[in-house]
Amino acid sequence: MDSFMAQVKSLAQSLYPCSAQQLNEDLRLHLLLNTSVTCNDGSPAGYYLKESKGSRRWLLFLEGASQGPRPRGGRGPWDAALTVAVLAGGWYCFSRENCDSRYTSMRRLMSSRDWPGTRTGNFQGLTKVAPEHACTGILSSQPEENPHWWNANMVFIPYCSSDVWSGASSKSDKSESSAPLRSLPLRTGREVGTTGKADFWPYDYAFMGTLIIQEVVRELLGKGLSGAKVLLLAGSSAGGTGVLLNVDRVAEQLQELGYPAVQVRGLADSGWFLDNKQYRGTDCIDTITCAPTEAIRRGIRCSRWGPFQAAGSHAEGLRWVASGGGLTCSMWPRYWNGVVPERCRRQFQKGEEWNCFFGYKVYPTLRCPVFVVQWLFDEAQLTVDNAHLAGQPVQEGQWLYIQNLGRELRNTLKDVPASFAPACLSHEVIIRSHWTDVQVKGTSLPRALHCWDRSLHDSHKASKAPLKGCPVHLVDSCPWPHCNPSCPTIRDQFTGQEMNVAQFLMHMGFDVQTVAQQQGLEPSKLLGMLSSGS
């Protein structure tokens, strides 16, 4: 641990009896007063709030919903068996079929009906608290765990819109926009909409992610946000992408409402995805197998399968269109009605707005300062690329693909001045209790965020000189997954035993002899380098 963290912990221990223990550590649920802004199922959206009287710093966290099941204790060992189940939780849905499936299996991500009344800001030792209801990492009220933001006003906004926080589409919008279709006779002998909530009618859900953020900000102005000095819009996974899509809009909203003095910043964790070619291409069946480019196209624009869904079957849809039925996307409403930053939208042709969901394309157009946190070997990226490591030996082509993925991601961050990118195989970090342990080039993430905060503060004083010993651009250069020794622990999914990086790579089928020969090294030396993170 660097000296900064040690100093902060020492100071926190001396202040703890007279400060942190007196704080109400629970974040309490507030459903939005404007009940027209809803979750997918029409239940009111909302937020959890813990006020910190006297603090002018506000942290608004956009949930990504993939932080659920993780082993307790230690540094959060990685278990490949959990990967797909965990990652399927966040993401999005982009068709009636996968939205229905999501609603059946993960209803809390589409409805507020079962949300608990509180989320705890002190998870230490509370074994009866479900991990998804705990506030850890940068949301923690414990100064030892959260040295820089522990006493800020904390706001947790649950993800219940399934649209990567981009949607501006209510149920009523869909009912009105679908009116021209209601009188069209279909080859199934039915009419669209005549049976009420028909099984083939794909517009029973609202998608209001960006509107939820705006409404939360509006309500918080009456709870103290109006006097804020800094608003940090943070998020992980889908929430991280949501930060990139909404941070400028929040700043513009506050300016329009008469609060231009609030400094709006972004912290995007594990939401910086690549629109690269998949390792193995698959049909777009669900959120895991579908390439993000195609899934987002279907979400923010008309789904090309929309007319077929209304016809009742794919075959009927083909026959209808072939016979001149003319049921086209121009008549079909958008699913999410996704909104992207205006400056980014202008960079692309109409219909190509999906590009703005990818960090390296939207980031150069943003006005607000944003700190990007991204694992070089992100589990979510590997999953959607169909290259995820599921405990089975990898093929040589898969291994080369994974290495190249790390290089590509590293290249997209070279012009991002505030970034933290460890060469680890993981997903999300800022809301993990072990987020203080991970380091890049000897600097922890909390330390890097503190340096970034200081640099922004000093920039208001017209100071251009970089802060000595306070780096904010921290990107690992080593080429292997988990070649950074501070990465979260990996555990064998079958035996439960922890593995070092050399054991992990050999477990995955890594050919030490071949790679050592390629690098001009002795196998024993290569293994030593891997174990030490060289």
Side-chain angles (χ1 to χ4, degrees):
M1 179 178 297
D2 55 33
S3 59
F4 165 76
M5 288 297 300
Q7 292 171 17
V8 167
K9 287 196 173 184
S10 175
L11 177 62
Q13 288 170 354
S14 66
L15 295 175
Y16 192 87
C18 60
S19 57
Q21 278 187 336
Q22 302 303 316
L23 290 174
N24 180 358
E25 294 170 343
D26 287 341
L27 281 71
R28 299 197 174 277
L29 176 62
H30 299 257
L31 295 177
L32 290 178
L33 299 176
N34 182 354
T35 56
S36 68
V37 179
T38 72
C39 298
N40 291 130
D41 70 343
S43 59
Y47 57 96
Y48 290 82
L49 169 65
K50 178 183 72 67
E51 296 179 69
S52 181
K53 301 298 184 183
S55 174
R56 297 181 62 198
R57 286 148 51 92
W58 286 72
L59 191 156
L60 275 62
F61 181 83
L62 306 181
E63 185 186 24
S66 58
Q67 73 266 25
R70 283 276 175 169
R72 289 188 179 92
R75 283 164 39 200
W78 179 82
D79 186 342
L82 292 175
T83 302
V84 174
V86 171
L87 298 181
W91 295 111
Y92 35 61
C93 65
F94 51 83
S95 71
R96 172 62 187 268
E97 184 178 18
N98 58 49
C99 286
D100 281 350
S101 175
R102 181 183 180 91
Y103 192 71
T104 300
S105 60
M106 294 170 286
R107 190 160 300 182
R108 80 169 187 87
L109 301 183
M110 302 181 74
S111 174
S112 64
R113 300 185 198 281
D114 295 324
W115 288 352
T118 60
R119 301 178 69 95
T120 182
N122 178 11
F123 188 41
Q124 298 175 1
L126 300 180
T127 57
K128 293 184 179 180
V129 177
E132 65 269 21
H133 298 161
C135 295
T136 52
I138 200 168
L139 295 175
S140 173
S141 297
Q142 303 302 308
E144 301 95 328
E145 183 177 333
N146 186 15
H148 194 48
W149 284 88
W150 65 273
N151 64 342
N153 296 278
M154 298 285 189
V155 182
F156 179 97
I157 312 178
Y159 184 38
C160 68
S161 56
S162 308
D163 55 8
V164 200
W165 296 98
S166 72
S169 176
S170 68
K171 285 187 176 185
S172 60
D173 290 339
K174 297 183 177 67
S175 298
E176 293 165 5
S177 60
S178 62
L181 296 174
R182 292 183 181 277
S183 60
L184 289 174
L186 299 178
R187 299 290 176 145
T188 58
R190 296 176 287 185
E191 289 185 2
V192 176
T194 59
T195 58
K197 190 176 179 180
D199 59 352
F200 55 77
W201 186 244
Y203 296 118
D204 294 322
Y205 298 111
F207 299 89
M208 307 184 77
T210 194
L211 301 182
I212 291 171
I213 296 171
Q214 290 179 27
E215 196 61 31
V216 169
V217 169
R218 189 174 287 109
E219 281 200 14
L220 290 174
L221 287 171
K223 297 180 183 293
L225 181 62
S226 58
K229 180 179 180 181
V230 174
L231 186 160
L232 180 64
L233 184 67
S236 293
S237 193
T241 306
V243 168
L244 298 170
L245 293 175
N246 287 281
V247 65
D248 276 3
R249 191 170 296 111
V250 169
E252 291 161 6
Q253 178 188 8
L254 289 171
Q255 178 119 9
E256 291 169 1
L257 292 174
Y259 303 97
V262 181
Q263 300 170 33
V264 179
R265 305 168 185 172
L267 172 57
D269 169 27
S270 301
W272 185 276
F273 296 105
L274 302 181
D275 55 343
N276 56 330
K277 185 178 179 180
Q278 291 177 299
Y279 172 62
R280 275 195 300 265
T282 56
D283 292 335
C284 186
I285 300 171
D286 54 36
T287 55
I288 294 298
T289 59
C290 191
T293 50
E294 179 61 22
I296 292 168
R297 277 195 190 101
R298 296 189 187 192
I300 65 171
R301 304 290 295 178
C302 158
S303 168
R304 58 183 174 144
W305 306 117
F308 300 153
Q309 287 174 306
S313 72
H314 187 261
E316 287 293 337
L318 285 173
R319 284 195 288 274
W320 174 258
V321 174
S323 64
L327 201 58
T328 66
C329 272
S330 63
M331 304 168 63
W332 207 257
R334 299 180 185 185
Y335 210 50
W336 299 347
N337 194 23
V339 179
V340 300
E342 180 62 22
R343 279 159 55 89
C344 183
R345 188 193 63 78
R346 292 199 297 263
Q347 303 281 328
F348 300 97
Q349 296 181 354
K350 186 176 181 180
E352 299 297 310
E353 298 93 339
W354 60 267
N355 283 279
C356 296
F357 281 70
F358 294 92
Y360 74 99
K361 294 181 178 180
V362 67
Y363 178 86
T365 71
L366 298 180
R367 287 192 169 101
C368 291
V370 175
F371 192 108
V372 176
V373 180
Q374 187 69 35
W375 305 105
L376 290 181
F377 304 95
D378 190 278
E379 292 173 297
Q381 182 76 58
L382 290 171
T383 297
V384 296
D385 286 343
N386 295 312
H388 54 278
L389 305 175
Q392 301 298 321
V394 298
Q395 303 297 319
E396 182 179 1
Q398 184 181 3
W399 177 249
L400 293 174
Y401 180 93
I402 291 169
Q403 283 186 282
N404 187 61
L405 177 69
R407 283 194 295 270
E408 286 186 16
L409 204 145
R410 188 184 296 112
N411 287 336
T412 66
L413 294 172
K414 63 183 180 182
D415 295 323
V416 179
S419 51
F420 187 88
C424 304
L425 177 69
S426 194
H427 185 62
E428 299 185 336
V429 64
I430 65 172
I431 50 171
R432 306 291 186 200
S433 58
H434 64 270
W435 79 305
T436 58
D437 297 335
V438 182
Q439 297 186 7
V440 174
K441 300 175 182 177
T443 300
S444 67
L445 178 52
R447 169 66 169 168
L449 287 173
H450 175 65
C451 291
W452 178 59
D453 192 54
R454 284 181 56 193
S455 69
L456 294 174
H457 176 74
D458 288 351
S459 68
H460 287 282
K461 298 180 179 179
S463 172
K464 300 283 185 180
L467 299 172
K468 292 184 178 180
C470 214
V472 295
H473 181 80
L474 294 157
V475 180
D476 262 336
S477 57
C478 61
W480 325 103
H482 260 62
C483 57
N484 180 328
S486 70
C487 288
T489 306
I490 307 171
R491 178 175 290 161
D492 187 309
Q493 69 182 93
F494 301 111
T495 67
Q497 296 294 312
E498 292 186 3
M499 297 183 288
N500 62 33
V501 64
Q503 292 170 327
F504 165 67
L505 293 175
M506 293 177 70
H507 177 72
M508 290 291 119
F510 177 77
D511 190 334
V512 176
Q513 294 281 352
T514 301
V515 175
Q517 187 176 12
Q518 291 172 350
Q519 301 292 324
L521 299 170
E522 291 294 324
S524 58
K525 185 174 182 180
L526 175 60
L527 285 173
M529 291 170 63
L530 291 172
S531 298
S532 64
S534 301

